[in-house]
Amino acid sequence: MSTLITVAPTGAETAKVDCAQLPTTLDELAQTAARCEQAGAAMIHVHVRDAEHRPTLDSVWLRDAVAAVRGSSSLVVQLSTGGSVHDPLDRRLRVLDAEPDSCSLTMGTVNFGDDVFANPWPFIVELYQLTIERQVVPEFELFDLGHVAALRRLLDTHGLPHGGRVHVDFVLGVPDGMPGTAAALAAGVAALPAEVTSFSATGIGRTHLPVLLASLAHGGHLRVGMEDCLTLAKGRPVSHNDELVSRAAQIATLAGRPPMSVADARTLLGLAT
Ligand code: KMH
Ligand code: ZN
């Protein structure tokens, strides 16, 4: 089996003034997509920034970002519907207007540092129904063990997603979420509904590498990128997202699970090939 590597290059939390190498412009996004595909990524999880490098859910910016990635790479384009903790729910629903291949869909509310990343049940259901209607493949984001229970409830009450495959991503190590440990990942994997066809995992900050290793050990896939981790090691800042992708590709190859092609990733996720 090969390894799906997703790159999450930007996120909504880091400011450009604090990290000049964070890709925030459309040109930087396009170049990041091309270089990360070259390094072994097959999917990109995109948060869009405006002309002032601030997170935006403006529909024109979102459409331009999707076009920028498609213009420079063949990566599966996943738009974040999580946005930033300050984005209202109605704007987050409208992300699907930009017609991505995939979107993130977080399965519950979680404290997020001093803020709250809000995902009330009615919002989850509305977004899920919209993904089915628009034929967008959701990636279920799981920040906590309770989110796994909510996924069970969603599949029981609303059926399978578009494409018929169920891909989830554990996001571990968010302050007040599930810790970024092998034990937490093992608990999450053990609790997954039988309908889940694949999982990936990412660890925030210093948990990035341990969670990567734990995911491979559990037969999972990988998400890496500057949304989640800004250093390669203590005192060694990431200068380009492709360094994180390339390291993940090397480790996955060592584990006997080389990077997955985009075509195989599309099949894994239930997207048209
Ligand atoms: N920026 C976080 C508040 C997602 O992309 O769906 C939420 C997040 C999850 O990054
Ligand atoms: Zn995100």
Side-chain angles (χ1 to χ4, degrees), residues 61-166:
W61 278 101
L62 289 176
R63 279 189 181 278
D64 288 351
V66 171
V69 173
R70 290 194 175 137
S72 69
S73 77
S74 60
L75 293 176
V76 175
V77 185
Q78 179 184 95
L79 284 181
S80 165
T81 64
S84 90
V85 288
H86 308 295
D87 286 318
L89 300 179
D90 59 331
R91 296 284 291 273
R92 290 169 51 194
L93 290 171
R94 298 217 307 268
V95 164
L96 268 54
D97 293 349
E99 301 180 58
D101 303 301
S102 171
C103 70
S104 57
L105 200 172
T106 298
M107 287 310 301
T109 295
V110 64
N111 281 328
F112 204 82
D114 293 342
D115 296 299
V116 175
F117 177 32
N119 295 282
W121 177 253
F123 169 75
I124 290 172
V125 170
E126 193 175 349
L127 178 54
Y128 188 51
Q129 288 171 330
L130 207 55
T131 63
I132 293 170
E133 191 184 306
R134 303 283 181 89
Q135 305 192 345
V136 172
V137 167
E139 176 183 85
F140 300 99
E141 307 283 343
L142 309 172
F143 288 66
D144 215 339
L145 210 45
H147 297 187
V148 185
L151 176 62
R152 164 79 284 146
R153 180 180 169 197
L154 187 73
L155 296 173
D156 283 348
T157 52
H158 292 86
L160 290 175
H162 170 69
R165 313 281 293 176
V166 183

Side-chain angles (χ1 to χ4, degrees), residues 195-266:
E195 292 91 331
V196 171
T197 47
S198 56
F199 74 89
S200 61
T202 184
I204 304 300
R206 71 187 65 178
T207 72
H208 208 54
L209 206 42
V211 169
L212 181 157
L213 295 167
S215 188
L216 283 173
H218 284 92
H221 300 277
L222 306 176
R223 173 173 125 172
V224 297
M226 293 174 74
E227 172 166 346
D228 303 333
C229 180
L230 294 167
T231 54
L232 286 164
K234 198 166 178 214
R236 281 184 58 208
V238 176
S239 58
H240 195 285
N241 276 281
D242 69 354
E243 294 171 337
L244 290 168
V245 174
S246 171
R247 180 175 72 176
Q250 281 173 38
I251 297 171
T253 302
L254 268 177
R257 303 229 344 251
M260 187 177 282
S261 67
V262 173
D264 286 350
R266 293 187 71 89

